[in-house]
Amino acid sequence: MEALKRTIEMFCPQCGDEFPWHVMVCPKCDVDTVDRLPGPDPAPDVRLVPVFATGDAGVIAVARSLLDGEEIDFFVRGDGLQDLFGLGRITGFSFAMGAAEFWVREDDADRARELLAGLATPDHEQNK
């Protein structure tokens, strides 16, 4: 346990100086130290655009995997509703709820559309 305590460092959230684990108050700033500094400011609001839609649960999984693999941030609207009341298991598509839509940042839209283009089926075309 003593060896673990020696490896933990504390940081001043105000000046960013690093201290041993037992320093609880920054001697310069007189503020409590923390075990990690806060991350960067969150990204400003971004514009999301739809790039793909499908009701097929298998295609949804593949699309998620492709976007994750390319490290493209995405949001899926209506994904959990595809199997509402078991209808998705019978038909593969929930006509009452519509298709699951993939939305990405506007800057990533062209790349995401290109990546997902091969997944479009005649019944569930890709959003333009």
Side-chain angles (χ1 to χ4, degrees), residues 2-46:
E2 192 64 32
L4 177 64
K5 287 183 179 177
R6 281 187 233 134
T7 62
I8 297 173
E9 302 295 331
M10 300 301 282
F11 303 92
C12 174
Q14 194 163 356
C15 68
D17 284 354
E18 188 174 334
F19 301 101
W21 67 272
H22 62 276
V23 177
M24 297 296 171
V25 177
C26 176
K28 293 182 200 173
C29 306
D30 197 33
V31 296
D32 290 341
T33 57
V34 294
D35 61 348
R36 69 179 66 95
L37 290 173
D41 290 336
D45 290 338
V46 295

Side-chain angles (χ1 to χ4, degrees), residues 9 14-15 25 28 35 41 45 52-53 57-58 61-63 76 79-80 88 91 93 102 111 121 124 126:
E9 302 295 331
Q14 194 163 356
C15 68
V25 177
K28 293 182 200 173
D35 61 348
D41 290 336
D45 290 338
F52 185 73
V62 171
V76 184
D79 181 23
T91 65
F93 180 74
F102 284 78
R111 192 167 63 125
T121 61
H124 308 103
Q126 185 175 0

Side-chain angles (χ1 to χ4, degrees), residues 48-53 77 101-104 109 113 127-128:
L48 298 178
V49 295
V51 294
F52 185 73
R77 183 190 312 183
E101 296 179 335
F102 284 78
W103 293 65
V104 300
R113 283 187 184 109
N127 286 339
K128 302 262 179 195

